[in-house]
Amino acid sequence: GEKVEQHESTLSVREGDSAVINCTYTDTASSYFPWYKQEAGKSLHFVIDIRSNVDRKQSQRLIVLLDKKAKRFSLHITATQPEDSAIYFCAADMNYNQGKLIFGQGTKLSIKP
Amino acid sequence: GGIITQTPKFLIGQEGQKLTLKCQQNFNHDTMYWYRQDSGKGLRLIYYSITENDLQKGDLSEGYDASREKKSSFSLTVTSAQKNEMAVFLCASRLQGNQDTQYFGPGTRLLVL
């Protein structure tokens, strides 16, 4: 079945720098790739997604890139701020209409002052 | 906007006990999900339901039952709690169709003594 690998388990960047989190997936039929943020002690909060009909999407400081050939997608957080510190999960869909998602293991992002 | 509520927030059980977790959403979403999150790991799908009275197994359904009593509510039962089990159970919902975003509830934290 589909597997989603999140390459960085932890990531530390200096405030103001960019952070990049990379994910790969195995199922070529996957067409929807959301990202979620989990702050300490809280639930998952949707941040941005990308569909397979585009290869780039931006929402304010967040950029998602999708490389379908390499089955790879990434989240770029520009001009990082302390409130960006959290665990970020990538996911890929297994079945478009039912929205079954396979999640990566999560990346703990720390922003250093 | 809408909200997903999960009850209880914390659940302490005994080994072998049957435990029920509840989830309510007022988004009027069609599909609802139950995930399990273990410390340091991603989310694993237990059960999901694409409409009232529908039930679909996820990868982790063994040891659990679920019930979609009505569109707005989805319950999960741990059929026999395992000693020293500790996990967070997350409920999510999604509108069927083009709206792919899954929204998550705050979670129920389970500890089995």
Side-chain angles (χ1 to χ4, degrees):
Chain A
E2 167 82 293
K3 284 188 180 177
V4 176
E5 297 280 347
Q6 204 161 336
H7 295 234
E8 300 85 4
S9 57
T10 60
L11 181 62
S12 182
V13 301
R14 198 170 299 278
E15 184 178 348
D17 288 350
S18 292
V20 183
I21 302 171
N22 296 287
C23 289
T24 53
Y25 61 99
T26 57
D27 189 351
T28 52
S30 291
S31 59
Y32 173 65
F33 308 91
W35 288 86
Y36 288 86
K37 176 182 181 182
Q38 186 174 36
E39 294 173 69
K42 295 189 177 179
S43 188
L44 272 71
H45 176 73
F46 170 80
V47 290
I48 192 169
D49 60 14
I50 190 166
R51 290 174 176 78
S52 57
N53 58 340
V54 297
D55 53 21
R56 185 183 191 279
K57 183 174 179 179
Q58 181 165 1
S59 174
Q60 299 180 318
R61 295 186 297 108
L62 302 178
I63 301 169
V64 181
L65 301 178
L66 173 63
D67 181 345
K68 291 189 290 291
K69 204 170 181 181
K71 287 188 279 187
R72 181 172 59 219
F73 59 113
S74 56
L75 174 67
H76 300 243
I77 306 173
T78 62
T80 52
Q81 299 169 2
E83 54 264 36
D84 295 328
S85 294
I87 299 175
Y88 290 82
F89 291 95
C90 63
D93 74 315
M94 274 189 67
N95 180 318
Y96 184 82
N97 285 330
Q98 294 180 350
K100 282 179 66 176
L101 295 175
I102 301 298
F103 284 83
Q105 301 294 85
T107 296
K108 185 173 183 179
L109 174 64
S110 301
I111 308 299
K112 298 179 295 188
Chain B
I3 193 167
I4 297 175
T5 55
Q6 291 186 239
T7 55
K9 283 187 181 177
F10 298 96
L11 184 55
I12 298 177
Q14 301 289 331
E15 185 183 10
Q17 196 176 2
K18 184 189 257 189
L19 303 167
T20 299
L21 293 68
K22 293 188 182 291
C23 177
Q24 296 264 355
Q25 53 94 4
N26 64 1
F27 286 104
N28 198 32
H29 282 170
D30 297 293
T31 308
M32 296 185 74
Y33 307 83
W34 276 107
Y35 292 92
R36 175 181 166 126
Q37 184 177 28
D38 291 278
S39 180
K41 295 185 180 178
L43 277 66
R44 291 181 289 172
L45 182 64
I46 306 172
Y47 270 100
Y48 67 106
S49 166
I50 60 175
T51 189
E52 185 178 335
N53 293 320
D54 175 73
L55 211 53
Q56 309 281 341
K57 290 184 178 180
D59 293 334
L60 204 64
S61 61
E62 190 167 334
Y64 301 93
D65 285 328
S67 174
R68 183 83 180 271
E69 304 91 1
K70 48 187 178 179
K71 189 175 183 180
S72 61
S73 66
F74 194 28
S75 300
L76 180 73
T77 298
V78 180
T79 55
S80 180
Q82 302 297 304
K83 190 175 175 62
N84 297 324
E85 184 175 4
M86 191 165 65
V88 176
F89 292 86
L90 294 169
C91 176
S93 72
R94 169 187 175 267
L95 184 66
Q96 189 82 309
N98 291 330
Q99 302 289 332
D100 296 308
T101 304
Q102 283 190 26
Y103 296 94
F104 283 82
T108 292
R109 282 153 180 78
L110 170 68
L111 175 61
V112 181
L113 302 175

